[in-house]
DNA sequence: TATTCACACTAGCGCTTGCTTGGTTACTCA
DNA sequence: TGAGTAACCAAGCAAGCGCTAGTGTGAATA
């Protein structure tokens, strides 16, 4: 059953599942479709995952865990200047969003399909990630780089950035970093 | 079959469908659930709608049409001052989003479930609505109220505002108008 | 060599799905 | 009064769903 292991095989299957979940949506993705994409029969799928729900949870956990790690590292490696930290966080956010796009689209738009247990578990991960954001925004507010209510600002910022998955074209002329910089410039009173 | 009529009965059924689609998601909402909510049997549902897809299209059409009308009226009735127009548009957006919340959540998050024909038809409506936004943002940019690339700014703005459906609590202390004003203040260099 | 294990298979159960069919009821209006 | 029609119902079909049971196989382990 491999309830909670992270074998390379399982990781690969999780990656494929993420892709299908994005393409079709979780509900429309059948275990038979998943199996075919993985090159096995539908029955064999349940050797790797307890049930379909667990595949969804695995996809989201993987993505969120990565985002958290990357953001933490990025913040550790950059200076303490609020403006730099704000830009760094925005860049890290979009970088993760697009290098691990499938997993994050699933996390953002299929979250509600998680059962209660998985949701409770993954909420902690997500909260830890958002806490990084709130801290960075607090500093930026205190330094008067931006203005507004701390709660509202963080919601607006995350909304604007997350929504990019709906329209951003990775093959276009702008890099995720460009996008992040332009966004930070937009909400900062003084144009860079 | 009533292919494209808009009888009061059908409107009421559409409203109920929107609610269920939000609660459960389109795919998980069965025709039997819809019928029960409407107080009829599942077979009777197909007297009002050709198929399940058409119910989804009706929900989204209704919502988008309303948003367009409300935004147009609001812009017609307000002054030509770019700042006022920006605030007006933001207020109209959030006002519609929360008075007709179900339909808009469906439009935002179940768009991909539309078949090609419906999507092509509804795209025009949505584009017309977004065109209003782009015009308002262009004026605001020219007046130097805000700064940045016109394309990016409009995407970021719409993203931040649309994302509010994910966290805004209508029973909280803030009204949608407050929210709109705070948002506009956030992206404008000079605090009001 | 014997045993275990990961991984895959076949076959299909029990159930739900969207939708159809054939018919009934209640109301409107000439 | 009787034709037309909008609205509904009971019954059920064909397809597809998640998932299980039982089995086979080749590689690692004892």
């Amino acid at each position: 059953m491999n309830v909670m292991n992270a074998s390379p095989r399982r990781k690969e299957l999780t990656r494929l599942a993420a892709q299908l979940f994005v393409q079709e949506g979780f509900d429309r993705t059948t275990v038979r479709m998943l199996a075919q994409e993985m090159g096995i029969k539908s029955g064999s799928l349940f050797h790797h995952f307890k049930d379909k729900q667990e595949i969804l949870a695995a996809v989201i956990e993987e993505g969120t865990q990565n985002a958290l790690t990357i953001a933490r590292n990025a913040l550790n490696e950059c200076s303490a200047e609020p403006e730099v930290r704000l830009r760094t966080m925005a860049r890290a956010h979009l970088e993760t969003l697009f290098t691990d796009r499938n997993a994050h689209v699933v996390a953002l738009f299929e979250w509600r399909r998680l059962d209660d247990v998985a949701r409770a578990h993954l909420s902690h991960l997500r909260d830890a990630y958002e806490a990084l954001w709130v801290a960075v925004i607090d500093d930026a507010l205190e330094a008067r780089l931006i203005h507004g209510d701390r709660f509202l600002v963080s919601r607006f910022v995350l909304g604007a950035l997350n929504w990019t998955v709906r329209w951003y074209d990775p093959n276009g002329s702008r890099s995720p970093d460009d996008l992040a910089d332009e966004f930070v410039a937009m909400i900062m009173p003084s144009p860079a």
Side-chain angles (χ1 to χ4, degrees), chain A:
Chain A
M1 287 291 176
N2 282 328
V3 177
M4 263 301 164
N5 82 355
S7 67
R9 181 80 176 128
R10 188 172 145 128
K11 270 209 168 177
E12 172 65 5
L13 298 183
T14 304
R15 208 184 51 79
L16 288 170
Q19 190 188 333
L20 261 181
F21 288 164
V22 169
Q23 244 172 64
E24 306 287 331
F26 176 71
D27 291 322
R28 286 174 108 88
T29 305
T30 70
V31 293
R32 286 167 180 82
M33 292 165 65
L34 286 165
Q36 187 170 37
E37 194 75 13
M38 297 165 177
I40 56 179
K41 300 292 172 180
S42 70
S44 312
L45 213 158
F46 295 92
H47 170 72
H48 301 278
F49 302 93
K50 186 177 122 260
D51 53 23
K52 197 185 164 192
Q53 276 281 332
E54 198 182 275
I55 310 180
L56 178 62
V59 167
I60 296 182
E61 172 153 27
E62 170 86 10
T64 312
Q65 197 63 259
N66 277 349
L68 190 55
T69 308
I70 289 176
R72 275 182 181 148
N73 288 346
L75 285 178
N76 279 342
E77 285 169 19
C78 82
S79 78
E81 219 178 317
E83 184 175 338
V84 174
R85 294 179 79 75
L86 182 60
R87 209 186 313 278
T88 299
M89 196 63 192
R91 284 185 175 212
H93 192 91
L94 292 186
E95 198 67 51
T96 323
L97 205 56
F98 293 112
T99 55
D100 208 7
R101 189 172 180 279
N102 289 337
H104 288 291
V105 169
V106 171
L108 289 174
F109 297 104
E110 307 285 357
W111 181 266
R112 303 183 32 205
R113 301 287 156 252
L114 290 167
D115 60 43
D116 292 343
V117 181
R119 184 153 47 222
H121 167 56
L122 293 171
S123 287
H124 286 108
L125 268 183
R126 199 192 50 180
D127 291 349
Y129 181 76
E130 292 199 1
L132 293 181
W133 260 111
V134 171
V136 166
I137 283 174
D138 273 348
D139 290 351
L141 285 170
E142 204 161 333
R144 300 199 170 278
L145 288 176
I146 55 180
H147 51 272
D149 176 85
R150 62 193 289 265
F151 174 77
L152 289 184
V153 169
S154 57
R155 297 291 167 166
F156 285 140
V157 166
L158 278 171
L161 293 181
N162 284 336
W163 202 256
T164 56
V165 297
R166 283 296 192 66
W167 56 266
Y168 174 66
D169 172 19
N171 302 116
S173 60
R174 261 180 278 259
S175 73
D177 279 0
D178 290 344
L179 219 60
D181 292 349
E182 296 226 39
F183 176 71
V184 171
M186 185 184 90
I187 61 170
M188 276 182 23
S190 52

